Amino acid sequence: MLTIALCDDEPEQRSRIGAILQNYSAARPELAVKISTFASARELLAYLEEVDGYNIYVLDIVMPVMSGIDLGVRLRELGYRGAIIYLTVSPEYAVDSYAARAFHYLMKPVEPEMLFQVLDQAAAELEREKAACITVKTRDGLQLVRLDDLMVAELSRRTVRYHLANGTVLDSTTLRNSFQEEMAPILADSRFFLCGASFVSNLFYVTAVEKGYFRMDSGMRVPLARGLATQARERWREYWLHAPKGGFS
């Protein structure tokens, strides 16, 4: 099932975009699309207390009380990782949308074909990221780790410590290869960045690139090797600006 939340304070726009989403659902029966509509950010946030979140959030940016940008940031703070697609009448908010790690940004009036295309990209990325896993050999046996859930991997003496988004920490057994060789399957995924000799970070969970380190969702600071700050900032920007694209689940 693909769950989509639409939030727009204007009844006419909510009805128009809602109709496009219903047509998308009818055109993609294999996805079993379920659509929920909300008239305000507060209404959506209140409902999220009763459900586990949505795969995709289609949000108007200009809304009273809480804007779509602020709503997106709040969703990330609460741990919701669905793809955010912003809709607006003005391009001036494009840069601001990075704060919520938006999947895409569309101008109103939205063309059905364009929204279909973006939804298809989001659905495909969801499936790809959900399927991507690595196997970690620990003292307790083999552990399957979804790359979607991996926030940071760090070299700790001769083991790798895997920090997961839910707070779980897994320690591997003693490495037989170098850290970079061990990280090769992870680094093949565009979500991950080699921060230096001892750290790999999932760009989805990076909330800021500051002097000398990544700041992660959890508050963890991941040091960047000297000279990597500019490249790290560019990779982070490119990650959210391009790709089919996403980083979510």
Side-chain angles (χ1 to χ4, degrees):
M1 177 179 289
L2 183 71
T3 57
I4 302 175
L6 166 64
C7 186
D8 195 313
D9 66 302
E10 298 181 9
E12 183 178 341
Q13 287 294 325
R14 195 165 60 248
S15 176
R16 181 177 184 276
I17 302 301
I20 295 175
L21 293 177
Q22 291 293 345
N23 289 338
Y24 179 78
S25 176
R28 304 289 190 273
E30 71 280 4
L31 296 179
V33 179
K34 180 180 180 181
I35 303 161
S36 300
T37 60
F38 304 90
S40 70
R42 287 183 174 178
E43 184 180 326
L44 171 55
L45 289 172
Y47 189 73
L48 284 173
E49 295 178 3
E50 304 175 17
V51 298
D52 293 330
Y54 292 86
N55 299 129
I56 299 173
Y57 298 88
V58 180
L59 310 178
D60 182 31
I61 287 185
V62 182
M63 295 189 291
V65 184
M66 179 181 282
S67 72
I69 298 294
D70 290 337
L71 171 57
V73 172
R74 184 57 180 155
L75 289 172
R76 298 307 188 212
E77 290 174 345
L78 292 171
Y80 296 109
R81 304 185 60 233
I84 294 176
I85 300 170
Y86 278 124
L87 311 178
T88 186
V89 295
S90 173
E92 66 182 288
Y93 300 101
V95 174
D96 293 337
S97 69
Y98 296 140
R101 289 167 284 170
F103 180 82
H104 216 292
Y105 182 98
L106 293 174
M107 296 292 295
K108 291 181 176 180
V110 176
E111 294 296 329
E113 296 80 5
M114 180 60 72
L115 184 52
F116 273 39
Q117 180 180 338
V118 173
L119 291 170
D120 281 345
Q121 291 172 354
E125 188 71 3
L126 277 166
E127 288 305 310
R128 184 187 70 80
E129 294 194 358
K130 285 180 179 179
C133 297
I134 57 169
T135 301
V136 178
K137 187 176 181 180
T138 72
R139 291 183 177 180
D140 297 323
L142 295 178
Q143 299 280 341
L144 193 65
V145 175
R146 291 175 59 204
L147 293 186
D148 211 35
D149 299 326
L150 177 59
M151 183 170 62
V152 173
E154 66 167 310
L155 180 63
S156 178
R157 297 183 179 179
R158 287 292 299 161
T159 67
V160 178
R161 179 162 289 175
Y162 296 88
H163 299 264
L164 307 188
N166 64 4
T168 299
V169 176
L170 295 176
D171 289 324
S172 75
T173 54
T174 302
L175 294 181
R176 295 183 178 181
N177 304 315
S178 69
F179 179 68
Q180 289 197 31
E181 289 173 327
E182 193 72 16
M183 293 295 100
I186 296 174
L187 291 170
D189 189 304
S190 63
R191 287 173 287 179
F192 292 88
F193 182 79
L194 181 63
C195 304
S198 303
F199 287 90
V200 167
S201 294
N202 187 334
L203 295 172
F204 179 86
Y205 293 105
V206 175
T207 59
V209 184
E210 301 183 8
K211 187 175 181 180
Y213 62 86
F214 277 146
R215 183 181 295 279
M216 311 303 291
D217 266 350
S218 63
M220 180 181 183
R221 291 183 174 186
V222 177
L224 294 167
R226 181 171 299 188
L228 273 184
T230 299
Q231 181 185 348
R233 186 174 292 107
E234 183 64 17
R235 274 289 308 279
W236 185 53
R237 188 185 74 85
E238 289 292 316
Y239 173 71
W240 289 108
L241 187 61
H242 298 298
K245 171 181 141 3
F248 50 78
S249 73

